[in-house]
Amino acid sequence: MSATTAPTDAVQVTAPRPRGGIVQSVNDSLVVAKRNLIRMTRIPEMIIFGMIQPVMFVVLFSYVFGGSMQIGSSTDPIVYREFLMAGIFAQTVTFATAGAGAGIADDMHKGLIDRFRSLPMARGAVLTGRTLADLVQTALTVVVLTIVALLVGWRIHEGLPKALAGFALLLLLGYAFSWIGALIGLSVRTPEAATSGGLIWLFPVTFISNAFVDSSNMPGWLQPIAEWNPFSATVQACRELFGNPGVSPSDAWPMEHSVLASILWSVLIIVVFRTLAVRKYRSATA
């Protein structure tokens, strides 16, 4: 009895080719981002409360302080509102840092990060997905805030393309600061501590800047700090792109090249704090 032989034209079954590291990381990050976005829609109060705070800032600063502020030689409240809005936009996107930190700390506290770790997925995808989801929520908040700003008298004067570029810089800054929040969330034990840790340092960063007042009116020793503040660079860049009133001329490089300075600062923050956050994530779950 002769042995049977396989037909020569049989189809050869091969194992699927594994995905590359970058492809897998991108795909895993999008999956995690989708998970976080779905979670946000199921807890709508997270989005609603996140929108109320910046709207309150717009109304309070515009109508309470607007008549007392002098921008250049003008004390017109409308002029101050246009001056103010770039600062409010920037403050709004950076305050998302606290939410990012609290979300990651909550996932750590509930053991969800350990579950992700047991899956065959890129390590940095958990954090990247979270920050991308926060970026989407921040963009929605900026849209609502823009509508409110238009209602109180804010206008753009340099055309839609430059305005969109300004909003892109704002979202880039917000995304950069969300990585700081990610690092804080991985470094504390509870979501409450992450929220406090994400806000306590943001107040001096946002107020020692050109966001709400002309930095030239600050004490001499404080002016360089405000002018080299990454937050100030984005605010100044947005004022230029929106065509809104700006601060007094300054010789500081970030103020003279605000758009470039804003991009460089944001990219630097992303590179540094993403590296630190991913390293912290690996050590925390090792």
Side-chain angles (χ1 to χ4, degrees):
M1 186 174 181
S2 59
T4 59
T5 58
T8 57
D9 58 346
V11 177
Q12 184 178 2
V13 179
T14 59
R17 181 176 300 176
R19 293 174 295 175
I22 296 179
V23 175
Q24 180 178 358
S25 180
V26 170
N27 185 70
D28 293 344
S29 299
L30 293 177
V31 170
V32 176
K34 181 179 178 181
R35 172 258 173 190
N36 282 287
L37 289 173
I38 293 174
R39 179 173 178 267
M40 289 177 185
T41 60
R42 293 175 179 173
I43 312 176
E45 55 267 27
M46 292 175 57
I47 301 175
I48 295 173
F49 291 153
M51 292 180 178
I52 291 176
Q53 180 177 322
V55 171
M56 290 178 58
F57 272 113
V58 172
V59 175
L60 290 174
F61 275 88
S62 297
Y63 292 102
V64 176
F65 300 109
S68 305
M69 296 293 185
Q70 180 173 336
I71 303 301
S73 58
S74 175
T75 56
D76 186 348
I78 296 297
V79 174
Y80 180 68
R81 289 172 199 168
E82 292 203 339
F83 171 87
L84 171 71
M85 280 315 304
I88 294 292
F89 281 130
Q91 183 189 56
T92 299
V93 300
T94 54
F95 270 32
T97 300
I104 291 175
D106 186 52
D107 289 343
M108 291 281 291
H109 184 68
K110 293 179 178 178
L112 184 62
I113 297 296
D114 291 332
R115 299 177 191 174
F116 280 132
R117 182 172 176 258
S118 66
L119 299 175
M121 61 188 301
R123 290 293 178 89
V126 175
L127 302 180
T128 302
R130 176 73 208 196
T131 54
L132 289 175
D134 290 330
L135 180 63
V136 173
Q137 182 178 356
T138 300
L140 292 175
T141 304
V142 169
V143 170
V144 174
L145 189 58
T146 301
I147 296 172
V148 175
L150 292 171
L151 292 176
V152 300
W154 174 72
R155 296 292 183 270
I156 58 174
H157 305 285
E158 293 293 332
L160 184 60
K162 286 189 175 182
L164 292 176
F167 286 119
L169 290 180
L170 288 168
L171 293 179
L172 180 63
L173 179 70
Y175 183 69
F177 272 56
S178 69
W179 280 105
I180 302 178
L183 180 61
I184 294 173
L186 291 168
S187 303
V188 299
R189 297 183 179 180
T190 64
E192 293 79 10
T195 301
S196 300
L199 289 176
I200 193 170
W201 60 274
L202 273 176
F203 281 101
V205 168
T206 55
F207 281 92
I208 304 177
S209 70
N210 59 3
F212 308 111
V213 298
D214 190 338
S215 57
S216 64
N217 295 326
M218 296 180 180
W221 62 270
L222 198 57
Q223 290 180 24
I225 299 175
E227 292 168 345
W228 283 88
N229 185 343
F231 186 83
S232 294
T234 298
V235 172
Q236 181 69 6
C238 289
R239 287 191 179 122
E240 293 180 4
L241 293 169
F242 295 153
N244 295 152
V247 298
S248 301
S250 170
D251 295 333
W253 187 87
M255 297 295 98
E256 293 183 339
H257 307 86
S258 57
V259 174
L260 178 59
S262 174
I263 295 173
L264 292 177
W265 272 123
S266 295
V267 171
L268 179 62
I269 292 171
I270 292 172
V271 171
V272 171
F273 283 93
R274 187 185 188 280
T275 301
L276 294 175
V278 172
R279 184 177 301 174
K280 183 70 176 179
Y281 171 80
R282 289 175 176 172
S283 64
T285 57

